Amino acid sequence: MKHQIRLNVNGDDYELLVDPWRTLNEVLREDLNLTGTKLGCGVGDCGACTVLVDGKSVSSCITLAVAVDGKKIETVEGLAASGEKLHPIQESFIEKGAIQCGFCTAGMEMSALYLLRKNPSPTEEEIREGLSGHLCRCTGYNQIVEAIADAADRMKTDRGKGVKP
Amino acid sequence: MRLPKFDYVAPKTLDEALKALTAGGEGCRLLAGGTDLMVKMGHGLTAASLLVAIKGIEGLHGIRFDPSKGLSIGAATLIAEVAEHPDVLKYYPAVAQAARKTANTQIRNMATLAGNLCNAAPSADNAPVLLARGAEVEVVSQKGTRQLSLDDFFNGPGQTELARDEILTQILVPPAAKASGASYQWISPRGKVDISAVCVGVNLRLDGDVLKDVRIALGAVAPTPMRATEAEALMEGAKWSEALAEQVSAKASEESRPITDVRASAEYRRRMVSVLTRRALEEAHARAVENWGV
């Protein structure tokens, strides 16, 4: 039996009819066409599918869509909400060369967002720990860590200009 | 990975969940964080025709601490909440340590402490320290409530004492005794996110200069998390010395029954039981000395 669920994704409300065995990742990508969130390992190891549910980072590939009924979902598409001005995290990723093939990027950026909201001034060790649930097979980890440190600075200085973390 | 088909209910109360679980019969499984169950179902290792989700049950959420009764952790409480809770950090640092070491950030934000125990992996990160701290679990069915020691909970890999119609509702950890200390130590191939190759939990108490209530629990070196009771007995009632810690650690290593798998060889595991037990005893002893005046 299909279940009727409500999701708020990046500020937009959706009412959906979903089969209980479909994951949040499938519903985001296939029903809502939000393909920025990737599917990597499918077992919660690689972090490519990371989204925020009520502000907490989770692996969307092993989260059932029915289990997040009524919740607020944030995906990488919500980072640059206007579609024009990039989020400071995205600016930093570009500037520091933290993107190679790009497959891990959406997940990395969502974990960066989660980390920086909890801890606006992380140490390098804390950034690395915050990224420990992510794999980058291009192995550009150093640039990603640098980008997040840079984003932390940027968000502190941008905050006065009304950029939300 | 596509999941096989199943039905899903998300009861709002424990009574409704128990009813659904009993009515659901053989093919019914409880769903908490799903971080183990979804993967097992995706790989076809576990079949279920109905999932009963318990995260929507308000009464199963939360961490409560009472200095005389101890700690209570509801079955729907996330591992991340255990790792960050101020009372757990202050009064149960080794419990917080194990929670913080479990998997990665995203998994800790989904998975529950109760789920980590009910999944009954021999390597369950939170089991050794809870065993060492003398934790109990409360189990409820439509027939009533029972409380059992975590020592009697694990039956084998993936096997627990829980009957098919029972729900583990809370984990209870007694308050720390005066001048006691606990520690959690682990080693894993990749350091951060992967499953422990060996993990050790220790708890002990100082009575004057004599060691009491020594509990040593080992993970990932037997079909279930286990107590090293002979090693404990060597230390019980003795005076602390580094030589004794060394001897007790060697005994714990002898008691372990590890296998060789992808994470480590049996030989390496046996050696690491001894190293980690010694480190855990040293940290627990140092904490006990520190707590002497508290």
Side-chain angles (χ1 to χ4, degrees), chain A residues 20, chain B residues 5-8 24-29 41 47-52:
Chain B
K5 296 181 178 181
F6 52 79
D7 286 326
Y8 173 92
E26 214 39 53
C28 183
R29 296 290 305 244
M41 288 179 70
S49 52
L50 172 68
L51 296 187
V52 179

Side-chain angles (χ1 to χ4, degrees), chain B:
Chain B
M1 186 184 75
R2 297 273 170 175
L3 291 167
K5 296 181 178 181
F6 52 79
D7 286 326
Y8 173 92
V9 288
K12 288 271 175 266
T13 67
L14 184 59
D15 279 346
E16 282 171 44
L18 290 168
K19 215 173 281 175
L21 187 58
T22 307
E26 214 39 53
C28 183
R29 296 290 305 244
L30 288 175
L31 173 70
T35 56
D36 285 306
L37 187 60
M38 292 298 103
V39 175
K40 284 181 179 174
M41 288 179 70
H43 287 159
L45 300 172
T46 297
S49 52
L50 172 68
L51 296 187
V52 179
I54 63 158
K55 268 195 178 170
I57 303 173
E58 200 55 51
L60 294 183
H61 282 269
I63 297 173
R64 279 165 287 272
F65 175 69
D66 179 315
S68 61
K69 288 188 211 137
L71 187 69
S72 144
I73 299 169
T77 308
L78 302 177
I79 291 176
E81 296 174 295
V82 176
E84 293 169 7
H85 194 277
D87 287 332
V88 181
L89 286 165
K90 186 169 177 196
Y91 301 107
Y92 300 83
V95 173
Q97 225 169 357
R100 188 168 172 70
K101 193 275 145 193
T102 309
N104 62 43
T105 309
Q106 297 96 308
I107 300 296
R108 289 194 295 274
N109 279 339
M110 306 167 70
T112 61
L113 187 69
N116 190 231
L117 299 180
C118 291
N119 186 54
S123 58
D125 268 304
N126 297 283
V129 76
L130 289 172
L131 280 169
R133 285 294 279 100
E136 304 211 333
V137 292
E138 184 191 80
V139 172
V140 178
S141 74
Q142 284 189 306
K143 285 167 243 153
T145 301
R146 62 185 180 127
Q147 202 163 310
L148 64 156
S149 163
L150 197 57
D151 278 318
D152 303 323
F153 185 70
F154 301 108
N155 286 341
Q159 305 291 319
T160 70
E161 245 335 269
L162 283 181
R164 229 202 38 74
D165 60 347
E166 287 181 319
I167 297 179
L168 190 162
T169 48
Q170 55 178 331
I171 298 153
L172 303 158
V173 196
K178 189 174 158 43
S180 69
S183 171
Y184 180 65
Q185 300 289 328
W186 72 91
I187 196 157
S188 66
R190 276 164 32 205
K192 285 269 187 250
V193 299
D194 53 338
I195 296 165
S196 293
V198 177
C199 48
V200 176
V202 158
N203 188 73
L204 51 79
R205 175 170 74 84
L206 281 168
D207 182 0
D209 56 359
V210 170
L211 296 154
K212 288 276 177 68
D213 303 334
V214 180
R215 291 169 72 97
I216 300 169
L218 314 175
V221 292
T224 65
M226 63 170 277
R227 294 265 303 279
T229 49
E230 290 172 35
E232 291 172 0
L234 274 183
M235 194 164 248
E236 190 71 30
K239 283 185 187 169
W240 173 265
S241 73
E242 277 179 26
L244 176 66
E246 197 71 49
Q247 194 191 342
V248 169
S249 305
K251 178 56 86 179
S253 170
E254 272 173 43
E255 284 183 78
S256 68
R257 291 168 285 142
I259 56 165
T260 295
D261 67 11
V262 288
R263 283 187 281 279
S265 67
E267 192 189 352
Y268 178 75
R269 282 192 158 106
R270 215 169 280 121
R271 183 80 195 96
M272 286 307 109
V273 168
S274 155
V275 172
L276 296 176
T277 303
R278 185 174 42 73
R279 286 182 194 163
L281 287 169
E282 280 167 2
E283 185 173 58
H285 178 253
R287 282 179 172 163
V289 171
E290 209 174 292
N291 291 337
W292 187 258
V294 179

Side-chain angles (χ1 to χ4, degrees), chain A residues 11 15 19 21 43 50 84 109 111-112 116 131 137 148 154 157:
Chain A
E15 253 188 52
D19 287 313
W21 55 86
V43 294
T50 302
E84 287 166 19
E109 290 183 346
S111 275
L116 295 178
L131 292 180
R137 290 298 78 174
I148 295 173
R154 226 181 258 259
T157 45

Side-chain angles (χ1 to χ4, degrees), chain A residues 24-37:
Chain A
L24 176 59
N25 189 270
E26 288 165 356
V27 169
L28 289 171
R29 290 179 54 82
E30 295 163 11
D31 297 15
L32 304 183
N33 216 17
L34 294 170
T35 53
T37 302

